[in-house]
């Protein structure tokens, strides 16, 4: 049994029992050990390092986490682990950065030491079937995600907000070493009832796992994944906690051939709020830069298009937004322009310039050139480090009290 992280209360009130606190780890340990004689392991999620009222550093928070689960494969010195079970090698990867995050504190960050350990472990066990557990999935996994939460804030994938080369390392391990057969992740608080809650790439099955708590689910469903094995076939099941523990078969996955079979029908209902569109050539508006003239699109709200820019970056337009995609995996990286209502999008000079202007307006004052970031990317980091945001809010509150006191003195 593996917990994929984010233990404790969802609402962070800086009280014992909140995610990231010692009490949350104690309660999680008691819960997991309540499954009589079932061995378990845990990894950290982004919220498990959020005990800022109790711990001064990420390291202190991690040490508390590892010390609370003595029955797991964790060691006191590191929050990640490996476990051999016959011909299978299980690997758990943990996020190690919250207070010191460069951008969003909720990015699931795998440090360089852990990444090198993971890569070496996979390469040294080519005779084993490797199953990986991480809180967020790797870039390129193809799983459904939350566009206006994790994608917008640059925390949808492992090492999402950092160096793109490092973020790609995880999927490169999958593509290089064919012994990685399955990868389980959570983070999105979504149910299993989406077609893309399961995804296959390079012979590896990527599996999105839901939540058990009613206050944490984003679409009203509380679910757990269970896997059973028979020969070369791994069968993935869903436990519907919101349906009195109903057991539903999701699919069979052949660990040797990488083929998915007996996949259940998915009744997604109204799931547009979590839709992240991945552009395809058949969309009818696919533009490569070689020899193309300027592209001018009006009615941007209703259009789907994507461009390969001359710099190698890939931009896509859909659902009234302009997004950037990873040129290697075509995974969405983030939002470039959040609202295109009433605007025309112009991609000119063989894909080197992106221009916005008001629809039907030729006034130069209505033009806006979308400038790349210092690293050449276009997508915006909307959410900064949480600790810095808290400190900024504290200063604002102090300033307001001072000004109010000055006004009272007069």
């Amino acid at each position: 049994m593996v917990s994929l992280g984010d233990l404790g209360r969802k609402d962070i009130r800086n009280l014992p029992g909140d995610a990231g606190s010692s009490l949350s780890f104690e309660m999680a340990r008691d819960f997991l050990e309540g499954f009589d004689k079932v061995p378990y392991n845990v990894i950290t999620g982004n919220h498990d390092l959020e005990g800022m009222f109790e711990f001064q550093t990420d390291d202190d928070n991690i040490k508390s986490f590892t010390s609370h689960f003595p029955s797991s494969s964790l060691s006191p010195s590191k929050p990640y682990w490996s476990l051999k079970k016959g011909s299978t090698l299980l690997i758990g990867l943990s996020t190690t950065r919250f207070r010191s995050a460069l951008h969003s504190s909720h990015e699931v960050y795998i440090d360089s030491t852990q990444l090198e350990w993971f890569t070496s472990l996979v390469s040294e066990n080519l005779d084993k079937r490797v199953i990986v557990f991480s809180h967020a999935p790797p870039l390129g996994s193809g799983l459904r995600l939350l566009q206006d939460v994790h994608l917008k804030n640059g925390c949808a994938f492992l090492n999402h907000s950092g160096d793109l080369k490092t973020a790609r390392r995880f999927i490169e391990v999958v593509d290089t070493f064919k012994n990685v057969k399955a990868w389980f992740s959570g983070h999105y608080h979504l149910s299993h009832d989406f077609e893309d809650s399961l995804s296959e790439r390079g012979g590896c099955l990527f599996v999105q796992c839901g939540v058990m708590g009613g206050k944490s689910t984003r679409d009203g469903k509380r679910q757990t994944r269970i896997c059973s094995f028979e020969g070369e076939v791994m069968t993935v099941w869903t436990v519907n906690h919101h349906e009195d523990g109903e057991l539903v078969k999701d699919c069979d996955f052949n660990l040797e051939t990488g083929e998915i079979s007996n996949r259940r029908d998915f009744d997604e209902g109204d799931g547009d709020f979590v839709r992240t569109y991945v552009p395809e050539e058949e969309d009818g508006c696919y533009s490569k830069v070689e020899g193309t003239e300027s592209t001018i699109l009006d009615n941007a709200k209703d259009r789907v298009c994507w461009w390969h820019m001359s710099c190698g970056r890939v931009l896509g337009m859909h659902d009234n937004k302009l997004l950037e995609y990873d040129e290697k995996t075509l995974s969405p990286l983030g939002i470039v322009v959040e609202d295109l209502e009433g605007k025309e999008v112009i991609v000119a000079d063989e894909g080197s310039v992106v221009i916005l202007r008001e629809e039907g307006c030729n006034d130069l004052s209505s033009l806006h050139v979308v400038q790349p970031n210092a690293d050449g990317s276009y997508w915006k980091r909307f959410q900064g480090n949480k600790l810095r945001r808290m400190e900024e809010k504290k200063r604002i509150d102090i300033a307001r009290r001072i000004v109010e006191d000055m006004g009272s003195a007069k």
Side-chain angles (χ1 to χ4, degrees), residues 122-281:
V122 171
S123 65
E124 293 166 1
N125 286 274
L126 297 178
D127 60 328
K128 303 289 185 185
R129 293 171 178 162
V130 176
I131 298 178
V132 186
F133 304 90
S134 63
H135 185 64
L139 183 76
S141 59
L143 296 175
R144 178 169 297 223
L145 54 85
L146 284 163
Q147 179 170 279
D148 289 330
V149 179
H150 300 110
L151 184 62
K152 180 178 178 179
N153 292 321
C155 58
F157 309 109
L158 298 176
N159 295 36
H160 187 164
S161 289
D163 174 51
L164 187 54
K165 183 178 179 181
T166 302
R168 292 185 186 130
R169 284 280 302 278
F170 304 96
I171 205 69
E172 289 172 353
V173 169
V174 173
D175 292 340
T176 301
F177 304 107
K178 299 304 181 181
N179 54 332
V180 183
K181 300 298 184 179
W183 195 308
F184 292 83
S185 60
H187 192 44
Y188 300 149
H189 297 223
L190 296 177
S191 72
H192 307 166
D193 296 341
F194 300 101
E195 184 74 22
D196 46 1
S197 69
L198 298 169
S199 173
E200 183 275 328
R201 176 190 170 115
C204 178
L205 182 68
F206 292 93
V207 184
Q208 154 72 23
C209 297
V211 297
M212 297 177 66
K215 293 183 178 180
S216 297
T217 176
R218 285 192 163 96
D219 50 11
K221 297 176 181 178
R222 301 181 294 110
Q223 296 170 319
T224 296
R225 298 277 195 189
I226 292 182
C227 295
S228 59
F229 297 82
E230 185 173 347
E232 309 297 335
V233 176
M234 177 179 72
T235 300
V236 182
W237 307 78
T238 285
V239 180
N240 285 324
H241 301 292
H242 59 282
E243 296 287 351
D244 297 323
E246 173 191 29
L247 190 65
V248 179
K249 181 177 177 178
D250 295 317
C251 74
D252 291 323
F253 183 70
N254 191 301
L255 296 166
E256 288 301 311
T257 65
E259 295 178 351
I260 301 175
S261 61
N262 300 319
R263 192 166 184 159
R264 70 177 170 98
D265 294 329
F266 291 85
D267 181 16
E268 298 195 15
D270 183 10
D272 286 344
F273 72 103
V274 294
R275 180 172 179 264
T276 294
Y277 187 82
V278 178
E280 304 288 348
E281 290 192 39

Side-chain angles (χ1 to χ4, degrees), residues 49-182:
L49 302 186
E50 200 163 352
M52 290 186 287
F53 75 99
E54 184 177 356
F55 306 106
Q56 293 299 311
T57 67
D58 291 337
D59 284 343
D60 289 341
N61 217 151
I62 290 170
K63 287 176 182 177
S64 176
F65 180 89
T66 57
S67 68
H68 276 89
F69 301 98
S71 299
S72 72
S73 299
L74 292 170
S75 71
S77 60
K78 62 179 186 291
Y80 48 95
W81 50 267
S82 66
L83 179 65
K84 291 183 179 180
K85 303 286 284 186
S87 61
T88 301
L89 176 65
L90 309 178
I91 299 177
L93 302 176
S94 280
T95 185
T96 57
R97 183 170 74 181
F98 189 90
R99 296 157 183 79
S100 56
L102 299 180
H103 299 287
S104 172
S105 296
H106 297 292
E107 176 192 50
V108 181
Y109 177 77
I110 307 300
D111 58 89
S112 58
T113 299
Q114 186 177 178
L115 179 52
E116 294 305 324
W117 168 85
F118 167 64
T119 305
S120 297
L121 193 60
V122 171
S123 65
E124 293 166 1
N125 286 274
L126 297 178
D127 60 328
K128 303 289 185 185
R129 293 171 178 162
V130 176
I131 298 178
V132 186
F133 304 90
S134 63
H135 185 64
L139 183 76
S141 59
L143 296 175
R144 178 169 297 223
L145 54 85
L146 284 163
Q147 179 170 279
D148 289 330
V149 179
H150 300 110
L151 184 62
K152 180 178 178 179
N153 292 321
C155 58
F157 309 109
L158 298 176
N159 295 36
H160 187 164
S161 289
D163 174 51
L164 187 54
K165 183 178 179 181
T166 302
R168 292 185 186 130
R169 284 280 302 278
F170 304 96
I171 205 69
E172 289 172 353
V173 169
V174 173
D175 292 340
T176 301
F177 304 107
K178 299 304 181 181
N179 54 332
V180 183
K181 300 298 184 179

Side-chain angles (χ1 to χ4, degrees), residues 32-43:
L32 293 171
E33 292 185 351
F35 291 83
D36 189 32
K37 297 181 181 179
V38 177
Y40 70 86
N41 268 296
V42 292
I43 56 175

Side-chain angles (χ1 to χ4, degrees), residues 147-148 151-152 321-324 333-339 378-382:
Q147 179 170 279
D148 289 330
L151 184 62
K152 180 178 178 179
K321 294 179 176 64
L322 188 65
L323 286 82
E324 181 173 351
L333 291 174
I335 295 175
V336 181
V337 180
E338 192 169 12
D339 186 4
Y378 281 87
W379 64 281
K380 303 296 187 289
R381 278 71 166 176
F382 287 86

